[in-house]
């Protein structure tokens, strides 16, 4: 089947910046392999233009779904008419699809992909002590899923301390067997170290935490996909830590997102 015709289903990858995003390449390859007349287009806008941008995207009738990244996950969720519990509990969406009436429905696969990727690599979560830097859109999803997977303790650190405190209270209420606290970005005494911030996307970014406290018995995870090995992971590798890059997290989200978007739909009207 020819792709990119006037009948094509259009999907969007939204981020600012969007140049590091892997989703368009991954999904366009899937569309090609499946012979689907579908496209995923990377788009970006300045945060101050988001409302206007979203109005235009909603008005574009052939846009069936959007994958959402930093810094728009919370803002996009607020534009949705409803969502899966995974999105509702963190008020953050990393995927939205078009409802029949033209409104949007939200889901969040960040935590799902994160946990599945850790398990596939042989990293244990149950009973572990975790320090997580970042309590924003992705971080909120990760914290819930870490607690759900049986983490014994989660220490949250964020530049917005009130945001971290709110998230800690919500996660602790949902999973009372997990101790959830707010503290410094200090991995001392922890088993699992997680960067859920954008720090590391740019070469000039500072490290998200104090690497001097890392020890070889720790596992260090970064959810950033580009660069493939961030400065944090490079430092952790030199120290002898086990490391987990961000790409596997996305890989484990792709199948769930494809199902969510129903990319193989059989009921399209070609009239």
């Amino acid at each position: 089947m020819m792709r990119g015709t006037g009948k094509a289903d259009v999907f969007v990858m939204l981020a600012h910046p969007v140049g590091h995003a892997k989703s368009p390449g991954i999904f366009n390859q899937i569309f090609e392999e499946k012979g689907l007349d579908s496209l995923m287009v990377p788009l970006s806008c300045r945060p101050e233009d988001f409302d206007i941008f979203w109005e235009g995207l909603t008005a574009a009738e052939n846009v069936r779904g959007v994958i959402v990244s930093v810094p728009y996950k919370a803002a996009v969720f607020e534009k949705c008419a409803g969502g899966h519990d995974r999105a509702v509990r963190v008020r953050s969406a990393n995927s939205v699809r078009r409802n029949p009436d033209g409104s949007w429905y939200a889901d969040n696969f960040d935590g799902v992909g994160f946990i599945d990727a850790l398990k596939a690599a042989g990293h244990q979560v149950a009973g572990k002590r975790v320090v997580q830097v970042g309590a924003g859109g992705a971080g909120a999803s990760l914290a819930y899923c870490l607690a759900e997977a049986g983490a014994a303790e989660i220490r949250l650190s964020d530049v917005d301390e009130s945001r971290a405190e709110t998230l800690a209270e919500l996660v602790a209420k949902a999973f009372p067997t997990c101790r959830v606290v707010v503290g410094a970005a200090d991995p001392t005494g922890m088993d699992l170290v997680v960067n859920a911030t954008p720090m590391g996307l740019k070469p000039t970014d500072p490290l998200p935490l104090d690497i001097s406290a890392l020890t070889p018995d720790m596992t260090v995870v970064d959810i950033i996909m580009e660069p493939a090995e961030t400065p944090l992971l490079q430092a952790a590798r030199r120290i002898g830590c086990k490391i987990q890059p961000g790409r596997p997290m996305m890989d484990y989200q792709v199948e769930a997102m494809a199902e969510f978007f129903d990319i193989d739909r059989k009921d399209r009207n070609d009239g």
Side-chain angles (χ1 to χ4, degrees):
M1 176 182 289
M2 181 181 294
R3 293 181 58 231
T5 73
K7 298 175 181 178
D9 284 333
V10 179
F11 299 88
V12 167
M13 171 71 224
L14 171 62
H16 182 74
V18 76
H20 66 280
K22 302 297 185 185
S23 297
I26 294 170
F27 272 90
N28 284 324
Q29 182 176 351
I30 292 172
F31 298 151
E32 188 76 31
E33 292 171 350
K34 287 178 171 286
L36 298 172
D37 187 9
S38 300
L39 299 169
M40 181 170 287
V41 182
L43 293 179
S44 186
C45 74
R46 296 176 301 177
E48 58 266 33
D49 295 329
F50 171 73
D51 288 334
I52 296 172
F53 174 89
W54 195 258
E55 286 182 16
L57 201 65
T58 300
E61 296 177 318
N62 62 335
V63 174
R64 287 191 51 218
V66 184
I67 294 178
V68 189
S69 190
V70 176
Y72 295 119
K73 294 181 180 184
V76 168
F77 175 82
E78 296 301 328
K79 299 291 187 181
C80 293
H84 191 282
D85 286 348
R86 287 185 294 259
V88 173
R89 69 187 181 186
V90 296
R91 302 194 68 78
S92 173
N94 84 333
S95 301
V96 300
R97 69 182 179 213
R98 181 91 64 173
N99 288 323
D101 66 358
S103 63
W104 297 99
Y105 180 86
D107 208 330
N108 194 315
F109 300 105
D110 283 326
V112 174
F114 177 77
I115 296 297
D116 286 349
L118 283 177
K119 290 180 177 179
H123 304 305
Q124 300 298 314
V125 175
K128 301 299 183 180
R129 295 163 298 173
V130 184
V131 58
Q132 177 181 306
V133 187
S141 183
L142 268 55
Y144 271 99
C145 289
L146 282 165
E148 190 173 23
E153 177 182 342
I154 302 172
R155 182 195 300 151
L156 295 172
S157 179
D158 195 275
V159 291
D160 184 341
E161 188 170 338
S162 64
R163 178 167 67 179
E165 289 173 348
T166 298
L167 178 60
E169 291 173 5
L170 291 172
V171 174
K173 183 177 181 181
F175 300 98
T177 59
C178 180
R179 180 173 182 260
V180 189
V181 298
V182 175
D186 179 2
T188 301
M190 295 297 176
D191 305 302
L192 186 63
V193 181
V194 180
N195 176 37
T197 78
M199 286 189 286
L201 278 174
K202 296 181 292 187
T204 55
D205 286 344
L207 290 169
L209 53 87
D210 180 11
I211 62 170
S212 68
L214 294 176
T215 55
D217 58 323
M218 297 176 181
T219 298
V220 180
V221 189
D222 203 323
I223 69 170
I224 290 172
M225 290 190 292
E226 183 66 39
E229 192 168 291
T230 61
L232 171 63
L233 294 183
Q234 291 173 3
R237 183 190 292 278
R238 288 194 295 269
I239 291 167
C241 304
K242 296 177 182 178
I243 65 170
Q244 175 83 352
R247 177 60 189 262
M249 174 178 161
M250 171 47 107
D251 290 342
Y252 279 91
Q253 292 183 74
V254 167
E255 185 176 347
M257 288 174 170
E259 183 178 349
F260 174 72
F261 290 137
D262 188 21
I263 63 171
D264 290 306
R265 71 176 184 172
K266 307 297 183 182
D267 62 341
R268 70 172 293 141
N269 178 6
D270 290 333

